[in-house]
Amino acid sequence: GGERWMVEAERAYDWFFGVNDLGAALADGDEGECYDGLTWAGANFNQGAESILSFQLATCAMQTLVRSAVHREQSDRSKAG
């Protein structure tokens, strides 16, 4: 629940969208698709089930983290005021 871990979760999630050593986006958030990983030349364009499921589970986890953060902020505001 700490801020540090939210930052780390976002950093890890951003890897799917090109914040990686090659700057190669592996996921398409609109379509829910994900390539298998990185090769020395860029994205591996296979789309195996494990890659797609990893991306979709990461998306669900990030949505849960964001909702929890919003809930905490709202709770803190109501207590303060």
Side-chain angles (χ1 to χ4, degrees):
E3 178 66 24
R4 174 179 179 244
W5 296 112
M6 185 65 173
V7 169
E8 290 299 318
E10 289 172 344
R11 187 174 69 88
Y13 187 62
D14 287 345
W15 180 86
F16 286 106
F17 298 103
V19 184
N20 53 54
D21 289 344
L22 300 178
L26 299 175
D28 179 340
D30 293 333
E31 298 296 322
E33 297 174 347
C34 186
Y35 298 127
D36 277 356
L38 297 173
T39 70
W40 62 271
N44 172 342
F45 294 114
N46 291 326
Q47 292 183 333
E50 63 280 357
S51 300
I52 294 167
L53 290 171
S54 294
F55 172 60
Q56 291 176 344
L57 288 169
T59 299
C60 290
M62 287 305 297
Q63 290 173 343
T64 299
L65 286 173
V66 169
R67 277 194 300 264
S68 294
V70 168
H71 179 70
R72 272 193 308 276
E73 287 175 15
Q74 291 172 343
S75 178
D76 291 346
R77 276 192 297 239
S78 68
K79 289 177 186 176

